[in-house]
Amino acid sequence: MSTRSILGLIYMVQGLKQLGEDPGPVLRRHGLDADRLDPSARIERARELRIYADLADQLHDPMLGLRLGGFYGLAGYGPLVMLIMTCANAWEAFQMGVKYQRLTYLFGTLRLAPGERLSALVLSPMAMAPNAFRFRVDGEVSGTYKMVRDMQATMGLDIHAERIDMPYPRPPQAAEYEAYFNAPVRFGEPEARFWLRNEHLQLRFPSADPAAHAMYRAMCDQQLQTQQAEEAQAGMAERVKAHLGLFNGEFPASEDVAKALGLSERSLRRQLADEGHNFRDLLADARHAKARHLLAHTTLAVEAIAQQLGYAEAAAFIRAFQRWQGMTPARFRQRPTQD
């Protein structure tokens, strides 16, 4: 399973605390201690995203995601930030950011969309449950914005966005977004975009250094190779179950899961078949795992758990759980030792 630096999670935890929130209970449910996270450790991407989804369920301020972007430190990007700053100009820098985006804290995917007058840095967000989607998109957009602005401040440049697009309906706090980004913000778009003037992208970086750039690129290539080797060892069935585990209520269809994993639906089904699995059974496994977790670690009523698992009524969930576990949810909860 793919892993990455736990620094992104640490920045988020620090930010939530400074904003008056307590991430401790959610972290403890995932076996983590907010005060004992090791900055040198690595965390599975899927596990980290589950933590973000769980946090989104308990947060009440819809602006927290946007504000959290300000807590991501520039130094935390390691060799990547030096690779970008030693580029010849902003266009090359954005190309490097896209190429090595797996070394950032993003879960969505970046690409460049060139235009005649304006070009866009595009962020395609990962599909998540609705209550977590805005929280995560805001964090990724504001975190990317802060990274770019911090590097510009270091180099004495001003490459600002002409407009920013956001991939969800216009919220009541729309004016706060424009004040935060100091640019017009358009909501209801299919993807997040930073629109930039082409002449700004040709500005030469004062820190351009071809020799140092080659050194940092080799370091980033090594980090990518390590990640790819880890992913090659993870089976497709485990990747699918990990993704399904991020959802409450309505689960995504196989087509949506395939898209999130960068595959066609046909390729996904073929790879699962090669491993002896099918999507329907994996969805049942994901529901079973989530049911055990909710029964063991929460006091939610069976009816509420049924809703989180996508069942219209509790009776259907109880019958399914009996097939999976050989006992009713109530009896499972009464066991002295739970999963």
Side-chain angles (χ1 to χ4, degrees):
M1 195 69 68
S2 176
T3 66
R4 62 180 180 177
S5 169
I6 203 171
L7 269 177
L9 181 62
I10 290 176
Y11 288 144
M12 183 207 64
V13 168
Q14 293 173 344
L16 286 174
K17 287 182 176 180
Q18 292 187 46
L19 293 170
E21 298 288 339
D22 180 14
V26 169
L27 291 177
R28 286 193 290 274
R29 291 207 302 269
H30 289 268
L32 300 174
D33 184 336
D35 297 319
R36 299 181 66 184
L37 294 176
D38 182 356
S40 66
R42 297 184 68 79
I43 187 171
E44 291 182 358
R45 288 168 60 90
R47 184 183 183 194
E48 185 183 0
L49 195 53
R50 285 196 296 273
I51 293 171
Y52 288 136
D54 288 350
L55 280 168
D57 286 337
Q58 77 165 29
L59 301 177
H60 304 292
D61 182 356
M63 296 298 292
L64 277 176
L66 189 74
R67 294 174 183 139
L68 282 172
F71 291 92
Y72 287 78
L74 188 62
Y77 292 95
L80 176 61
V81 71
M82 297 307 300
L83 174 70
I84 292 174
M85 290 180 64
T86 53
C87 287
N89 55 41
W91 178 253
E92 182 182 321
F94 282 119
Q95 288 180 314
M96 290 296 101
V98 169
K99 177 177 175 62
Y100 294 99
Q101 60 186 280
R102 293 299 300 271
L103 304 182
T104 70
Y105 306 119
L106 296 174
F107 286 97
T109 56
L110 284 175
R111 72 177 193 276
L112 280 170
E116 292 185 5
R117 187 178 68 86
L118 299 176
S119 295
L121 180 65
V122 184
L123 172 66
S124 298
M126 174 177 280
M128 295 185 71
N131 58 338
F133 183 79
R134 177 180 168 186
F135 173 68
R136 190 59 205 163
V137 168
D138 281 1
E140 296 198 355
V141 171
S142 62
T144 301
Y145 173 81
K146 183 177 187 295
M147 179 186 183
V148 172
R149 297 300 292 175
D150 284 352
M151 285 192 294
Q152 289 186 63
T154 300
M155 295 184 287
L157 297 175
D158 180 20
I159 304 173
H160 56 272
E162 295 293 302
R163 189 184 80 237
I164 293 174
D165 296 344
M166 299 296 276
Y168 51 78
R170 181 181 180 87
Q173 306 86 4
E176 295 183 50
Y177 282 77
E178 297 197 341
Y180 182 89
F181 292 116
N182 194 29
V185 179
R186 188 165 65 185
F187 294 91
E189 297 297 316
E191 298 170 307
R193 300 185 187 92
F194 295 88
W195 290 97
L196 305 160
R197 292 169 59 181
N198 288 342
E199 56 265 34
H200 285 172
L201 297 178
Q202 299 304 319
L203 291 175
R204 179 170 176 77
F205 281 4
S207 54
D209 186 331
H213 182 81
M215 178 185 70
Y216 289 119
R217 186 162 186 168
M219 295 171 67
C220 290
D221 284 337
Q222 181 59 51
Q223 289 186 359
L224 273 186
Q225 290 172 11
T226 300
Q227 286 191 8
Q228 290 166 354
E230 292 175 348
E231 292 173 357
Q233 297 174 3
M236 183 55 63
E238 291 303 315
R239 295 179 65 193
V240 169
K241 285 195 291 185
H243 185 71
L244 290 171
L246 304 175
F247 292 82
N248 288 325
E250 183 178 354
F251 285 79
S254 59
E255 180 182 2
D256 296 322
V257 174
K259 183 178 180 180
L261 298 179
L263 300 168
S264 68
E265 185 180 14
R266 182 177 179 181
S267 294
L268 174 64
R269 292 187 180 278
R270 183 177 65 251
Q271 291 187 40
L272 290 177
D274 290 343
E275 295 178 10
H277 297 282
N278 63 67
F279 184 81
R280 181 178 178 180
D281 289 345
L282 293 177
L283 178 57
D285 289 346
R287 280 176 159 164
H288 184 193
K290 187 176 287 289
R292 292 199 311 270
H293 175 79
L294 293 173
L295 289 167
H297 300 291
T298 77
T299 58
L300 288 174
V302 169
E303 291 77 9
I305 293 175
Q307 290 181 350
Q308 290 206 25
L309 296 175
Y311 290 96
E313 53 187 35
F317 162 57
I318 293 172
R319 289 194 297 270
F321 193 83
Q322 286 178 304
R323 290 196 305 271
W324 298 330
Q325 199 69 33
M327 64 182 74
T328 65
R331 184 180 172 190
F332 179 84
R333 241 178 188 163
Q334 293 169 356
R335 298 189 316 160
T337 301
Q338 298 173 333
D339 292 8

